[in-house]
Amino acid sequence: MHSSATPSLVGDLDHLTSVDYDRIASIISSQIGIRLPPAKQSMVEGRLRKRVRALSLKSVRTYGDYLFRQGGLDKELPYLIDAVTTNKTDFFRESDHFELMRSRMVPQLLKARLGEASPLLKVWSAASSTGAEAYTTAMVLAEMQAQSKDFRYAILATDVSRSVLKIGQMAIYPEEQIAPVPKAMQSRYLMFSRRNGIRNDVRIVPELRQRVRFNYLNLMETSYPVDRDVDIIFLRNVLIYFEKNDQQAVIERLMSHLRPGGYLVLGHSESMIGTSAGFHQIAPAVFQKTTVAA
């Protein structure tokens, strides 16, 4: 007699049990603040299959066993975080923010520091992914500096995923990824590989790489090892994945690292998150820290 049990059993083995998925969701929420509702289970399993192959395990189900019943969680946690985080990034993503930085934010910040000789502008890309946001910022500031050499700049890029930080430090990207970069900027700030038979990659020029520092940072920590006179903080398209209480706590911590008059830039879908005491909105998803303490 033919049985249909075997095919369904094989199919089940390539899925986490509901108990293991709930445990993973709870760990990710407590560690990095990201919500993983049950509807995300298939997406999470798809991302974990790369780890299953890397560990030579038989299935996603056995990966859950490895984590929770074979003592693998502590060693595996960084890879688990890398697997479930969404590292979507592009050069000049939401380009109106960079235009506003050029036309309004930086000029106002420099105007407030007219008494300083060559003031240092500090920009923090607080969920930097592979570095496209940080290097876009560096290109814009380098262009402005070329027009008026009366300021310096430094960029801090942080992320909870160590694998994307390594990519940012290498600063090598597929040629198609830099398509949004204006041609004039490409010629000034990118180095092109032209080896026959090999994918054409590009690398950010050394002068910009020297201005960007990449560090690991988890936004769920209660304090951040970051200067408290940062001029501009980018935290775009991240807080939408956080619980409301965590969103507000992160905003308050970020505010403490901005100088009075500094700017916080969120994603366009996050504008309401930034409407808190101590900030006033100057443009969609762009907030300025009030110059007088509340």
Side-chain angles (χ1 to χ4, degrees):
M1 180 176 177
H2 178 73
S3 170
S4 62
T6 300
S8 64
L9 179 61
V10 171
D12 288 345
L13 287 176
D14 208 32
H15 296 283
L16 295 163
T17 66
S18 59
V19 171
D20 284 353
Y21 180 74
D22 288 347
R23 290 183 72 178
I24 288 174
S26 178
I27 289 166
I28 294 300
S29 177
S30 64
Q31 289 283 326
I32 60 175
I34 291 177
R35 291 175 286 122
L36 293 175
K40 297 280 189 180
Q41 182 167 342
S42 293
M43 179 204 76
V44 170
E45 289 170 346
R47 293 183 178 185
L48 291 178
R49 288 189 179 105
K50 184 177 180 180
R51 287 303 299 162
V52 170
R53 293 191 295 272
L55 294 167
S56 299
L57 298 174
K58 292 181 178 179
S59 66
V60 173
R61 176 74 61 92
T62 55
Y63 181 78
D65 290 337
Y66 170 69
L67 289 180
F68 302 122
R69 287 168 287 280
Q70 297 172 17
L73 180 60
D74 287 347
K75 182 178 180 181
E76 188 66 13
L77 185 59
Y79 302 103
L80 181 62
I81 290 172
D82 275 357
V84 302
T85 48
T86 299
N87 296 304
K88 165 69 175 172
T89 187
D90 294 297
F91 287 88
F92 285 90
R93 186 182 186 188
E94 297 180 358
S95 59
D96 52 320
H97 287 158
F98 296 104
E99 173 56 27
L100 191 68
M101 183 177 76
R102 184 198 65 78
S103 64
R104 180 171 176 180
M105 287 189 269
V106 170
Q108 288 191 355
L109 288 162
L110 293 177
K111 184 178 180 181
R113 298 166 68 182
L114 280 176
E116 296 182 36
S118 191
L120 175 64
L121 284 179
K122 299 179 181 180
V123 181
W124 177 14
S125 174
S128 64
S129 187
T130 55
E133 180 178 82
Y135 289 124
T136 299
T137 302
M139 291 179 196
V140 173
L141 292 176
E143 292 287 285
M144 297 186 70
Q145 193 181 54
Q147 299 297 319
S148 175
K149 298 182 183 296
D150 58 353
F151 74 93
R152 298 166 294 138
Y153 67 92
I155 299 166
L156 172 65
T158 65
D159 203 280
V160 73
S161 170
R162 299 183 189 277
S163 62
V164 297
L165 291 171
K166 291 178 182 177
I167 295 172
Q169 288 168 334
M170 287 295 295
I172 297 173
Y173 303 95
E175 187 171 2
E176 60 268 20
Q177 191 174 343
I178 55 88
V181 179
K183 293 296 184 184
M185 287 188 177
Q186 289 187 25
S187 65
R188 283 194 284 274
Y189 304 123
L190 300 175
M191 301 181 296
F192 289 78
S193 168
R194 295 298 183 196
R195 292 171 292 176
N196 290 333
I198 299 177
R199 184 187 70 176
N200 292 327
D201 289 335
V202 300
R203 193 175 195 191
I204 306 296
V205 296
E207 301 93 287
L208 294 194
R209 298 203 306 271
Q210 292 165 7
R211 304 297 185 101
V212 182
R213 178 166 52 96
F214 287 86
N215 282 345
Y216 172 86
L217 188 141
N218 185 346
L219 292 166
M220 289 293 286
E221 297 292 339
T222 55
S223 63
Y224 305 147
V226 176
D227 293 346
R228 294 191 177 272
D229 59 349
V230 178
D231 293 280
I232 301 171
I233 299 176
F234 286 95
L235 183 65
R236 303 188 298 172
N237 309 300
V238 174
L239 292 176
I240 51 173
Y241 299 108
F242 284 34
E243 298 287 355
K244 188 172 183 179
N245 289 344
D246 292 332
Q247 290 174 347
Q248 193 55 42
V250 170
I251 290 288
E252 290 174 2
R253 288 194 286 271
L254 292 176
M255 185 191 297
S256 72
H257 290 275
L258 275 175
R259 69 166 64 246
Y263 297 91
L264 172 66
V265 185
L266 303 177
H268 282 301
S269 60
E270 301 167 320
S271 280
M272 291 304 297
I273 300 173
T275 56
S276 58
F279 282 114
H280 67 273
Q281 189 167 358
I282 67 161
V286 181
F287 303 85
Q288 186 173 26
K289 183 176 180 179
T290 54
T291 54
V292 180

